[in-house]
Amino acid sequence: MIVVTGATGNVGRTLVRLLSGAGERVTGVARRITEADVPPGVRAVAADLGEAEGLRPALEGAEAVFLLVAGEDPQGIVGAAKAAGVRRLVLLSSQGAGTRPQVYGHAAGFEAAVRESGLEWTILRSGGLASNAFAWAEPVRVHRTAAAPFGDVGLPFVDPDDVAAVGAAVLRGEGPGHAGATYTLTGPAPTTPRERADALAAALGEPIRFVEQTREEAEAQMAAFMPLPVVTGTLALLGAPMPEEQQVSPDVERVLGRAPRTFAQWAARNVGAFR
């Protein structure tokens, strides 16, 4: 049995489908989830990573767990997994846990708990997800505009389906030995916000006007759903990335045996959200 937390998210939904399609027994976990949210044969369990004790029913019979950085008690979550007999943890973390641990301390704390668990573990440090562009869905649908700060600063955003594919390979033990590995997952090339808006326009077959926000405008928008220190750190990453944050990692290709997908490929698959 493999337990996938965040089973209704951009990575988790695909991961559940990949594992189930490969014949694995899967339990999908999210705060709000029903059998209708998962493929036939997948067990759906509603649970909150913020309440470690509430995870125990979801973990029954599990050998491996795909874990998100969520909640404030990584030690409690890891303890619940150990008590349930889980042998392997795969943590979806953030590249920022390595490059900016002072900002992404939450993710770094989860990484430490996983490393110190005494279980077999693998950490997936994701770069920015291509699915962040869903924030443009409504303004593109309504006004054919897309707004972002730092319009000409490039980062190698990664397709969440590639993150899910790496997660599936690691959980199933495919490819090279993954125990004790920390993988950085990026796309095949840096793209700028302006270039990503152009890729969406090409997928739509209609022009999209790109609007470059000021730092202050972006900060006000992001502060509505992110703590201010994380907003500050995220804007620093987006506006003045470190060299390693702009580098293309070989890890997706190393695990999957193929190059990571481009943002344009992600846009073509998801263009319906922007019509």
Side-chain angles (χ1 to χ4, degrees), residues 250-261:
D251 288 343
V252 169
E253 186 162 6
R254 180 178 292 139
V255 175
L256 300 181
R258 62 162 175 81
R261 298 179 179 96

Side-chain angles (χ1 to χ4, degrees), residues 95 98-102 154-155 236-237 239-247:
Q95 185 180 17
T99 59
R100 301 173 190 257
Q102 71 280 12
L155 288 167
L237 189 157
M242 300 175 185
E244 57 265 44
E245 292 166 343
Q246 292 187 296
Q247 288 177 352

Side-chain angles (χ1 to χ4, degrees), residues 6 22 24 26 52 75 105 131-132 143 163 167 169 188 196 199 211 222 228 234-235 248 254:
E24 301 289 348
V26 182
Q75 298 290 348
S131 51
N132 290 350
H143 303 293
V163 177
R196 293 193 288 275
V211 178
M222 295 166 69
L228 189 56
T234 300
L235 287 172
V248 172
R254 180 178 292 139

Side-chain angles (χ1 to χ4, degrees), residues 224-242:
F225 57 91
M226 295 169 64
L228 189 56
V230 177
V231 171
T232 302
T234 300
L235 287 172
L237 189 157
L238 293 175
M242 300 175 185

Side-chain angles (χ1 to χ4, degrees), residues 105-171:
H106 194 206
F110 267 78
E111 289 191 5
V114 166
R115 288 196 181 98
E116 296 163 7
S117 66
L119 303 176
E120 183 181 314
W121 56 265
T122 306
I123 292 170
L124 310 181
R125 285 179 173 170
S126 173
L129 293 174
S131 51
N132 290 350
F134 281 136
W136 287 342
E138 184 176 355
V140 168
R141 285 195 305 266
V142 177
H143 303 293
R144 291 294 190 258
T145 63
F150 316 117
D152 298 305
V153 178
L155 288 167
F157 274 38
V158 62
D159 189 322
D161 280 8
D162 282 345
V163 177
V166 170
V170 172
L171 287 161

Side-chain angles (χ1 to χ4, degrees), residues 4-5 18-19 33 50 75 78 95 123 137 184 228 250 256 263 273:
V4 177
T5 64
L18 291 174
L19 292 171
I33 190 171
Q75 298 290 348
V78 169
Q95 185 180 17
I123 292 170
T184 299
L228 189 56
L256 300 181
F263 181 84

Side-chain angles (χ1 to χ4, degrees), residues 47-80:
D48 190 338
L49 286 174
E51 300 174 3
E53 284 300 313
L55 283 174
R56 293 187 184 274
L59 296 172
E60 289 177 4
E63 178 182 344
V65 176
F66 182 80
L67 181 62
L68 299 187
V69 172
E72 302 297 330
D73 186 15
Q75 298 290 348
I77 293 170
V78 169

